[in-house]
Amino acid sequence: MLKRLAFVLAAVAAVLVIPAVGATVSALGAFDALYAAGPPRPVPAAAPVPHDPAKPTAVVVVGDRGAVVSDALAPYEILAATGRFNVYTVAPHRDPKPLTGGLDLVPDLDFAALAARLGGSAPDLVVVPAFPDVGEPGTEPVLAWLRDQAGHGSKLLSVCNGGAVLASAGLLDGRPATAHWLKVDDWAAAYPAVRWVRGERFVDAGTVVTTAGILSGIDGTLHWVERLAGPPVAAEAALAIGWGRYGTAVPVTPPAGMPDAAAIVNAGFRWHPDTLGVLLANGVGEVELASVFDTEGQSLSSRTLAVSADGGPIRSRHGLTFLPRAALTDAPDLDRLLVPGATRGVTAPGGPAPEYVHDRPGFPYDTAVSALSRRTDVATARWTAKVLELPTDGVVFEGRAWPWLPTAVPIALVLAGTAAVVVVFRLRRNRLSRPD
């Protein structure tokens, strides 16, 4: 009996191991694709960025392995839209940094150039997005720089898991702080000296403000604008990016939890995700760009490829430099072509028809998540809004209810494995019953 039971358990394990291994490989591939660096390309010369000594200076710091796209670009556009700050992106070195989804940013300045521009003074505000390599030795140049800026009086804003970057620098010890609801328990275990807070969109600890997941960074940035420039300026900046929720009680994502079932299915069993070209064009809004790359990336349903009309760099609405990874005319086979912002009249001979993501009024992420629901399904879009910490009052969900095709993959594998086990059982039984 024990021998038979052991055989049955081994058979069950054999049935389940194939989808489990496939899901693990697929999920790791999705993560790697999200943070993959781009190919070597010439770095364009730094564009002249004006500096007004009468204005405070705010910088968004990016690590050598990049940062989460919304964490970096949404605060940047808010601060730039006020007109009250000198705003720069900075990094240890001025070379392309991959933002999640494959949007390659060329920082305005490296640390040395920023110090020269400020005459050795520290910036007034430093924004710290989430890094893919938080806690790893490669982040030490940024951590040392952050400690130095804080020691010279810089105020700090961390966005999402940028809180863990500050924690790893020792800048949150003894302070209340928050981070993304999916990771805050991990950070509490890794950095126990921090008083981690759950269920708040941002936490003000005086000279440091930390925010929860991704778009909570909008609330944290507007909070710093209120403190440094006044509520009317913050209200105007919110209006400039379409954030109509400013001044209202924004719903808070539950303080802890697991990924939704739709996320698990998409990460584990979309073995051939669509490749979506995302067109970069001069003058596109930073939030518009981030809304496409982050919505698609967080959905785990596709891979994004940044393209421009001629393969050359582009400059965004407030002067950031981005490098595409291909020209539109010679990009690899694209399943779809997404066009952020107001660009119209795109032609891609032989390629997919352009889809204008922001062809409806509203906050760019609202329309991007609505478009995702139409392209994939409602469950995937709702998960994406949840992980983005995007309130769904402005999102129109339409489309299929569930990701049925990737769901069918593990079911088919289990059925195939079960059929194979049944065949093995029958063959074994026939062999045992056969007379010698």
Side-chain angles (χ1 to χ4, degrees):
M1 179 63 71
L2 289 177
K3 187 176 180 180
R4 180 173 296 178
L5 179 60
F7 184 79
V8 170
L9 291 176
V12 171
V15 168
L16 297 178
V17 72
I18 293 177
V21 169
T24 301
V25 171
S26 177
L28 291 174
F31 181 85
D32 289 344
L34 202 58
Y35 290 98
R41 286 149 296 173
V43 179
V49 181
H51 183 82
D52 184 348
K55 294 179 180 180
T57 295
V59 300
V60 178
V61 62
V62 179
D64 278 330
R65 285 186 52 193
V68 171
V69 61
S70 296
D71 296 4
L73 297 191
Y76 177 90
E77 181 164 5
I78 291 168
L79 292 163
T82 67
R84 300 298 186 94
F85 301 88
N86 302 301
V87 189
Y88 309 116
T89 52
V90 299
H93 311 97
R94 191 181 175 273
D95 50 23
K97 308 298 182 189
L99 303 182
T100 44
L103 179 61
D104 294 328
L105 167 73
V106 180
D108 296 313
L109 303 166
D110 60 22
F111 291 160
L114 176 68
R117 179 159 297 196
L118 298 182
S121 299
D124 297 272
L125 177 65
V126 177
V127 180
V128 184
F131 294 171
D133 52 347
V134 60
E136 297 180 12
T139 62
E140 184 53 38
V142 173
L143 303 188
W145 181 82
L146 286 170
R147 287 188 286 263
D148 187 52
Q149 307 316 299
H152 286 85
S154 290
K155 298 173 177 62
L156 302 173
L157 168 66
S158 72
V159 181
C160 190
N161 292 321
V165 178
L166 291 182
S168 66
L171 295 172
L172 297 181
D173 289 356
R175 297 176 183 266
T178 193
H180 197 289
W181 58 272
L182 266 173
K183 292 287 289 182
V184 68
D185 287 344
D186 294 338
W187 305 137
Y191 307 107
V194 181
R195 291 155 45 201
W196 293 100
V197 176
R198 296 159 178 81
E200 300 288 339
R201 283 186 76 87
F202 66 87
V203 173
D204 187 334
T207 57
V208 181
V209 172
T210 56
T211 79
I214 306 181
L215 294 182
S216 293
I218 291 177
D219 303 293
T221 306
L222 291 171
H223 181 68
W224 263 125
V225 172
E226 286 179 357
R227 287 182 54 180
L228 297 173
V233 177
E236 290 176 6
L239 184 63
I241 66 164
W243 186 249
R245 302 167 178 93
Y246 175 71
T248 65
V250 179
V252 177
T253 299
M258 292 289 292
D260 290 359
I264 295 170
V265 167
N266 282 325
F269 300 104
R270 278 192 188 269
W271 292 352
H272 297 287
D274 289 348
T275 298
L276 308 182
V278 181
L279 184 72
L280 312 185
N282 287 316
V284 66
E286 294 83 5
V287 168
E288 292 169 341
L289 270 180
S291 72
V292 174
F293 281 95
D294 226 358
T295 294
E296 295 297 336
Q298 299 296 344
S299 75
L300 304 174
S301 65
S302 64
R303 303 286 187 271
T304 45
L305 177 70
V307 300
S308 70
D310 60 1
I314 68 100
R315 302 244 318 154
S316 66
R317 179 176 298 157
H318 295 99
L320 291 181
T321 300
F322 295 100
L323 298 183
R325 296 190 177 181
L328 180 58
T329 53
D330 60 8
D333 291 340
L334 300 177
D335 295 292
R336 306 171 85 99
L337 177 65
L338 307 184
V339 183
T343 299
R344 293 293 184 271
V346 176
T347 58
E355 300 176 30
Y356 301 104
V357 179
H358 301 114
D359 60 350
R360 301 182 182 187
F363 182 54
Y365 286 82
D366 292 348
T367 52
V369 172
S370 292
L372 177 70
S373 73
R374 295 192 298 274
R375 183 181 68 79
T376 57
D377 56 87
V378 170
T380 295
R382 287 194 177 278
W383 156 256
T384 303
K386 181 178 177 181
V387 76
L388 288 170
E389 295 221 359
L390 172 68
T392 57
D393 54 302
V395 179
V396 177
F397 293 101
E398 50 193 354
R400 296 185 298 273
W402 184 260
W404 294 115
L405 185 59
T407 301
V409 173
I411 294 173
L413 290 173
V414 169
L415 291 175
T418 301
V421 168
V422 169
V423 170
V424 170
F425 263 111
R426 288 182 175 176
L427 291 174
R428 182 172 181 272
R429 186 176 61 186
N430 290 340
R431 182 177 60 82
L432 292 176
S433 62
R434 193 178 301 139
D436 292 336

